[in-house]
Each structure stands twice: as structure tokens, then as C-alpha cells.
Amino acid sequence: MAYSKFEKRFDFTTVTDRTGLDSTKWENIPIPGAKVEEGFSHIPMWVADMDFPTAPSVIAAIQARLAASPAMGYFNLEKTGFHEAIKGWQKRRNGVEIEDNDVISYENSVLGGVSNVIRTYTNEGDPVLLHSPTYIGFTGTVNAAKRKIILSELKQDAEGTYRMDFEDMEKKVVENNIKVAIFCNPHNPTGRVWEKEEIQAFVELMVKHGVHIISDEIWSDFIVGDQPFTPTQSVSELAKQNVAAMYACTKTFNLAGLVGAYSIIYNKETRDACRELAAQTHYNQPNVLSVHALVGAYNEGEEYVEELKKVIKSNQEHAYNVIQTWGGLVKTQKPQGTYVMFLDWTEFCEKRGKTMDEVLNKCVSVGVICQDGRPFHGPCHSRFNFACPHSSVVEAFDRLTKYVINAEW
Ligand SMILES: Cc1ncc(COP(=O)(O)O)c(C=O)c1O
């Protein structure tokens, strides 16, 4: 199917209030009891979806499938262009050549794929290695599978860059007899894009101790700094054979509500074991419109992604620059990837005698709806989502400066 007849028009500037629709982000405030005061508009900067329309090529692909046939019966994934679209994207964007379609598996969601690998290689009560700060979805998934979370803290170096602690990881892997580790590349919530040498060392350490690696690369299309993205499986043959990689176009093209993801697993034994477990529930079946959306996104969505990244970068830079004017009260790093930023309020809380609950309530009171960092294992932190129009970011950080940082409250 050809999807080239669409207008190449991207809208990254219109502020669209999604209140009253079905949006999780606009219909909820994630801080219990927090309220937006009258006179302030809502600027939701929490759950990781975007306040932008998806790419025109995605809409065109869905429309083309609807126009081709109004029947939505059982369908053949091979005939949709799913594998070719993924192979093309991986080659053009990540330099990865996939020769065999069979290494790609549809996954109902990235977290579903993560859960499936965990359940393939561990039993209830078994430990799973995670880095902290931690994406809350991993915490929920490991807990729901009734496995035990073992955290290895990422340490900030002199420049504030988050680094893995290899000594700590090895100690924990050995002491707990860990058999599965989840790696997030790029890392949510810190925005870290891992260097090739770090990934190599991580893979070697895990494989040395017989640990299966799950590499969640859902954020790989959002590289906003100078550090290039290195697919975890690409660093060595060892990595290729020992890493199950998870991808999706849902984050990149704002399609989380349409659902869909995919795994790349080169090791046949691992792939078969994971597929066998997934088949037991029969829940891991693709949705025809979601698959056509992926084909439209990956075949003709590159220009959209390039424009989008410029907006995200300028939003994060604006926030970073404003934070630098707050006299060191709040600390953060310019992200290398993702569209989130993790803010450390420790100094602010100490100097102003505030608790993190008070900070979060204050931010929300002026309409800046960010996310509590504590469930991400950031004790005095908040996470901000910058996938919104630049004008919203400017307004949000003006309000934080005026009402949270520079005011007595
Ligand atoms: C690192 C990471 N993995 C997975 C997900 C969720 O993906 P899915 O909805 O496909 O499970 C997110 C969403 O924010 C994420 O940040």
C-alpha cells in the first residue's frame, strides 16, 4: 500500500486542551489531593505521551487501510508490510541490518514484552536487576509478576552524568543469583544515552554471570544531545545473542492509545522460549489498524521525527536555562535523550524548609502538573514531560520561577 499522498504538515505549536476527551494526562492530576487554583490553566507535564497530533503519514496509513477494505477480520501480519517497515527504520535510523524477518516478534506493548521475558527466565520470588532511578512501569511490571526488585543505583559523576556502578551490579548479581536484568537505553527518567563502551561492559558483566538482558529501547528515536544512540544488541556478537530488545513506534508517534510494540531477539532458543510462553495466554495478537499505523510511521514519518526532536530539544533547553537562574536550588542535567527531565529539589527543600509533597502541591496549584519522582526512586525529585508546545513550557517555567522559586509560601 502506498501512503505518499498526504500533506506534510506538522503542528507542534497549537495548544490543544484535551480536557473532556479520554486523555489520561489531561483528565487526572497524579499528586493525591493536589488542586489547580482558579485562574491558572492546566499545563500537564507528566505521563509520557505527547500533546501533538501524530504524523500525517500515520493517519494516511490508517485511512488507506479503511479505504482499501471496511472488513476488519483476522489478518496476515506478513501482508501488511510490518516487517519491511521495521527493517527499513532500523537500518536507516540505527544502522541495524535485520536479515531474517523471524527475529522480529509483535508485542502487545513494550512492558508486555518485558514481562514475558521476565516470566520466561524466572519464577515467582526470583530477583530482577533494575537501575535506580527507575521507570515506574518497570517497577509495576516486576511487582505484578511477583518477582523481587534488586536496585543498582546509577551514580552521578563530577559533571552530573549518570553512570552505572559495575562493582555494585556484580555484587548484587552474585549475592542474589540474578538471572534477568532490565536495561533502559536511552534511560527514563534521567535522559541518559549510554555509550558503546558502557553497554559493552554491562553486557559482558551480565553474560559472565548468566544473566538474560532485556533492553528497552522505546526512547531510541529521541536523541536530543550529542551522544549518538547505540542499539544494545549492536555492540558485540555476545550482545546480539544475549539481549532481548524491545521497541515501539508508540512513544515516537504518540500512538500509545493505539497499542503495539515489537521485540528483536536474535537468539533462536530465547525467541522460541519467549514465544512459547506468550502463546500460552493467546493475548499477544496484533491489531490491524495499529499495524498499519506503524507502517505509515516508519515508512514515511522520518521528517516528522526530525522536526519533533527540534521542538523537544528547544523545550528542554529552555527549562534547563531557566533552572540555571534559580541559584542552584534545583538541579538537573541537559538530557541526551527522551522527552523527560528529572529535577532534583533537595537543595530547595533544605533551604526553604519544604517537603517534596509541599513542592509538588505548590507546582500543581499554579497549573504545572509534573510527576512525583519518588516512585522513580528519586527521593526529592520530580519528572517533567516536554512533549508539548514551546509556549506551554515557557508559561510553565515562568510560573515556577514566579510562584514557587521567587515567592514566599
Ligand atoms: C522506558 C519505557 N518503557 C516502556 C514504556 C511503555 O511502553 P508500552 O506502553 O508499550 O508498554 C514507557 C512509557 O513511558 C517507557 O518510558
Side-chain angles (χ1 to χ4, degrees):
M1 241 179 259
Y3 302 123
S4 52
K5 283 189 194 141
F6 57 84
E7 250 182 279
K8 286 214 161 94
R9 189 167 38 79
F10 314 132
D11 183 353
F12 298 126
T13 51
T14 306
V15 179
T16 312
D17 185 337
R18 289 193 276 154
T19 311
L21 298 170
D22 48 18
S23 162
T24 299
K25 193 194 214 171
W26 284 79
E27 289 296 314
N28 300 286
I29 293 176
I31 316 294
K35 283 198 179 64
V36 179
E37 279 174 15
E38 252 190 64
F40 290 104
S41 61
H42 287 227
I43 309 178
M45 301 183 80
W46 63 289
V47 69
D49 72 17
M50 307 200 287
D51 287 327
F52 303 129
T54 188
S57 63
V58 171
I59 302 298
I62 294 172
Q63 283 170 339
R65 172 60 183 81
L66 291 171
S69 168
M72 302 288 155
Y74 293 117
F75 73 107
N76 188 346
L77 193 61
E78 308 291 332
K79 294 240 164 126
T80 59
F82 176 76
H83 297 93
E84 285 63 35
I86 290 170
K87 288 197 302 190
W89 188 262
Q90 288 292 341
K91 186 171 173 190
R92 292 191 306 278
R93 309 289 300 182
N94 299 338
V96 170
E97 291 264 8
I98 300 171
E99 279 159 19
D100 181 4
N101 282 3
D102 196 43
V103 306
I104 303 168
S105 305
Y106 172 81
E107 304 287 348
N108 239 325
S109 65
V110 164
L111 290 177
V114 167
S115 175
N116 196 51
V117 181
I118 291 173
R119 288 180 303 111
T120 300
Y121 287 112
T122 61
N123 296 309
E124 278 190 22
D126 284 351
V128 173
L129 185 73
L130 281 171
H131 292 123
S132 71
T134 323
Y135 162 51
I136 42 174
F138 294 149
T139 307
T141 300
V142 178
N143 283 339
K146 298 193 169 62
R147 271 58 170 174
K148 196 166 105 193
I149 294 172
I150 305 290
L151 293 175
S152 180
E153 201 182 323
L154 300 174
K155 298 269 163 64
Q156 288 181 268
D157 66 16
E159 280 79 49
T161 307
Y162 283 91
R163 303 268 175 198
M164 284 182 271
D165 182 339
F166 288 90
E167 221 174 282
D168 181 65
M169 285 191 292
E170 180 153 36
K171 186 166 166 276
K172 285 179 174 155
V173 163
V174 172
E175 271 176 7
N176 297 284
N177 192 23
I178 290 175
K179 289 289 161 255
V180 171
I182 304 177
F183 187 54
C184 195
N185 178 25
H187 186 262
N188 173 9
T190 66
R192 186 74 218 287
V193 175
W194 303 104
E195 290 155 25
K196 187 176 178 193
E197 294 69 28
E198 293 175 292
I199 302 173
Q200 268 169 339
F202 173 70
V203 169
E204 275 168 30
L205 180 64
M206 292 301 125
V207 175
K208 178 175 145 196
H209 294 290
V211 179
H212 296 272
I213 301 163
I214 303 168
S215 185
D216 179 337
E217 304 183 16
I218 195 170
W219 288 101
S220 54
D221 297 318
F222 291 97
I223 303 302
V224 290
D226 299 331
Q227 179 60 44
F229 168 64
T230 306
T232 305
Q233 290 168 325
S234 75
V235 300
S236 61
E237 187 55 31
L238 197 69
K240 202 169 171 181
Q241 290 308 321
N242 289 281
V243 172
M246 300 292 158
Y247 288 94
C249 67
T250 49
K251 192 70 60 199
T252 316
F253 291 90
N254 208 20
L255 298 170
L258 208 51
V259 174
Y262 60 95
S263 59
I264 299 178
I265 304 177
Y266 292 100
N267 184 315
K268 187 166 174 354
E269 217 177 290
T270 305
R271 204 163 67 230
D272 288 348
C274 291
R275 281 182 183 164
E276 194 185 317
L277 184 69
Q280 283 176 17
T281 58
H282 208 76
Y283 270 92
N284 200 27
Q285 300 300 314
N287 166 311
V288 70
L289 293 183
S290 158
V291 168
H292 281 273
L294 175 143
V295 173
Y298 276 4
N299 284 355
E300 300 198 56
E302 272 183 81
E303 209 182 309
Y304 171 90
V305 176
E306 289 312 309
E307 288 304 309
L308 170 62
K309 282 198 311 185
K310 287 184 205 159
V311 178
I312 303 293
K313 193 177 165 81
S314 88
N315 287 352
Q316 289 170 328
E317 272 175 3
H318 177 78
Y320 181 85
N321 291 338
V322 172
I323 291 167
Q324 301 320 299
T325 68
W326 293 348
L329 290 174
V330 176
K331 297 200 169 41
T332 194
Q333 295 70 46
K334 254 190 210 166
Q336 298 173 320
T338 80
Y339 57 61
V340 298
M341 272 167 85
F342 208 44
L343 272 51
D344 178 354
W345 295 79
T346 309
E347 192 98 354
F348 180 87
C349 287
E350 276 171 12
K351 291 219 167 115
R352 295 287 177 83
K354 303 287 181 196
T355 64
M356 201 51 209
D357 285 327
E358 287 168 333
V359 170
L360 293 165
N361 274 288
K362 186 69 187 169
C363 293
V364 172
S365 75
V366 297
V368 181
I369 305 168
C370 58
Q371 200 159 4
D372 186 353
R374 286 170 291 188
F376 295 78
H377 302 114
C380 212
H381 295 65
S382 62
R383 192 187 76 159
F384 279 74
N385 169 350
F386 289 95
C388 57
H390 192 70
S391 61
S392 301
V393 175
V394 171
E395 176 64 24
F397 277 76
D398 279 356
R399 288 186 202 171
L400 293 181
T401 303
K402 189 165 171 197
Y403 300 108
V404 181
I405 303 294
N406 288 345
E408 287 295 324
W409 49 277

